[in-house]
Amino acid sequence: MSFNLQQLEMFNAIVSAGSLGRAAALLNLTQPALSRAIKRLEESVGGALFERHTKGMHLTVLGQALLPHAMSLQREAQQAREELDAIRGLAKGVIKVGAVGSIASLVLPLAVRGVLDKWPNLRVEIIEGVWDRLVEGLLTHEIDLALSTSGGQTEGVAAIADCCWTDLSYVVAAPDHPLRQQGRIALEQTLGQRWALTPKGTGPYLHVQETFARHGLPMPEIAVESRSVTVLKSLVARCGFIGWMSGQMFDTERQAGVIVALEVAGLDAPRTLTAFRRRQGILPAPAARLLDELRHLTGSLAPTQRAGAASPSATAIAPIFP
């Protein structure tokens, strides 16, 4: 079996366009020329890749099996061209990274600034999402690095053991919230408040659930659920809700004085954050440069650790309450 990248590009174009005619127009080819090329590819793989219908082209079982490999090979080839062009000074390298909201709020921007200061020819593409979205991005080569909470390894995704750090999460509110005026409070006093939180199954939700259970308390009633960091921050800062955020996530709002951490007696809620990559293939050079900057940054963010806040291999982000 032999086929070339040009054939795979044509195959992917037909899948994306849904018809031979639209794909030919996208590739600037005649329809007969594209049809002949796909015929040669089908001869190479030993069977039909498409079923021809009046409404377009549909993948056969063979075509469905080939598609993920064709997409992966095309993206690998594109990455190789970008890196070679960058070395020759013909184009800029691209860092493709994804992160959960809290990392995207502070650590990632700091790392991006650091790497672009050193490598100004690079360009950065960032997606923000929950873990499932980041895994999909890694496996489809949409991103090359994912930054998330630990424990999310899969068959195709591996944690990068030497890029690992911890931070602390807090119950947060506006500075004029009634609980804030009481000074130091017990965690159970938050149960009667209006909570705004991410949906069930997300990292913050599970972290709240585990923390309250550890204190012998039920999960608080959630008045508003949202995956939007912007919505959650607005509800806390402007609408009297309380929430749950890592120190990284509301660092800017804390400095601006619009969101504060409530002083909750006995609350110690660390979590571990990790960089992830695909198990297969080589990490592209632009992503490796960002990874080096992340290692440097997370290794110097905070020399102090709270008791039980981190494993010896992880670096702790400085707590808001010393």
Side-chain angles (χ1 to χ4, degrees):
M1 183 185 300
S2 63
F3 42 78
N4 57 46
L5 289 171
Q6 186 178 34
Q7 289 175 323
L8 295 181
E9 183 180 2
M10 294 175 180
F11 170 77
N12 289 336
I14 294 173
V15 174
S16 177
S19 76
L20 200 66
R22 288 193 293 270
L26 289 171
L27 295 170
N28 199 26
L29 294 171
T30 65
Q31 193 165 324
L34 180 57
S35 182
R36 289 193 297 270
I38 293 302
K39 183 66 175 178
R40 288 193 293 271
L41 179 59
E42 290 178 325
E43 291 171 354
S44 178
V45 301
L49 297 172
F50 295 98
E51 294 177 351
R52 279 76 170 172
H53 295 280
T54 55
K55 294 184 178 180
M57 307 275 278
H58 300 282
L59 288 171
T60 63
V61 173
L62 272 179
Q64 292 172 357
L66 177 62
L67 180 60
H69 302 288
M71 293 176 65
S72 179
L73 288 170
Q74 187 177 351
R75 290 192 178 101
E76 291 280 3
Q78 179 61 33
Q79 288 177 348
R81 284 193 291 267
E82 288 176 355
E83 289 192 36
L84 292 173
D85 286 345
I87 291 172
R88 296 198 304 267
L90 300 177
K92 296 180 179 179
V94 181
I95 298 172
K96 300 175 182 179
V97 59
V100 294
S102 57
I103 301 176
S105 297
L106 178 61
V107 171
L108 181 55
L110 292 174
V112 166
R113 180 186 66 183
V115 79
L116 292 183
D117 284 346
K118 298 173 184 175
W119 304 93
N121 63 312
L122 296 178
R123 183 169 60 85
V124 184
E125 296 178 2
I126 299 172
I127 66 169
E128 179 185 333
V130 296
W131 174 243
D132 289 350
R133 173 72 177 91
L134 300 182
V135 170
E136 178 188 1
L138 282 173
L139 296 180
T140 60
H141 292 246
E142 182 183 7
I143 58 175
D144 298 311
L145 282 177
L147 309 176
S148 184
T149 52
S150 62
Q153 297 190 78
T154 70
E155 183 178 346
V157 173
I160 301 173
D162 64 345
C163 188
C164 180
W165 69 101
T166 66
D167 68 4
L168 296 172
S169 292
Y170 303 89
V171 180
V172 296
D176 60 353
H177 192 281
L179 286 182
R180 168 74 169 176
Q181 312 311 313
Q182 297 181 33
R184 197 168 181 83
I185 62 171
L187 185 59
E188 63 185 335
Q189 290 178 253
T190 68
L191 289 174
Q193 301 297 315
R194 290 192 300 176
W195 276 79
L197 192 63
T198 54
K200 292 181 180 179
T202 59
Y205 187 99
L206 294 173
H207 200 192
V208 170
Q209 193 173 49
E210 293 166 1
T211 301
F212 274 70
R214 193 167 62 248
H215 284 77
L217 298 171
M219 180 72 183
E221 292 289 334
I222 308 303
V224 178
E225 289 186 358
S226 177
R227 293 179 181 271
S228 169
V229 173
T230 301
V231 168
L232 293 174
K233 287 182 177 180
S234 183
L235 287 168
V236 171
R238 298 174 179 273
C239 304
F241 287 76
I242 64 173
W244 180 266
M245 299 180 190
S246 74
Q248 299 175 40
M249 180 175 285
F250 71 100
D251 181 73
T252 299
E253 289 77 13
R254 178 180 63 83
Q255 293 187 47
V258 295
I259 295 179
V260 297
L262 297 178
E263 296 192 47
V264 181
L267 180 63
D268 187 24
R271 61 175 190 162
T272 302
L273 303 161
T274 309
F276 296 86
R277 57 164 294 175
R278 288 182 295 277
R279 290 187 185 275
Q280 302 297 322
I282 299 171
L283 187 66
R289 289 169 183 152
L290 178 63
L291 182 61
D292 287 342
E293 188 65 24
L294 283 164
R295 290 187 181 111
H296 171 74
L297 177 64
T298 57
S300 62
L301 273 173
T304 54
Q305 294 186 11
R306 278 182 156 186
S311 64
S313 62
T315 299
I317 304 302
I320 289 174
F321 305 119

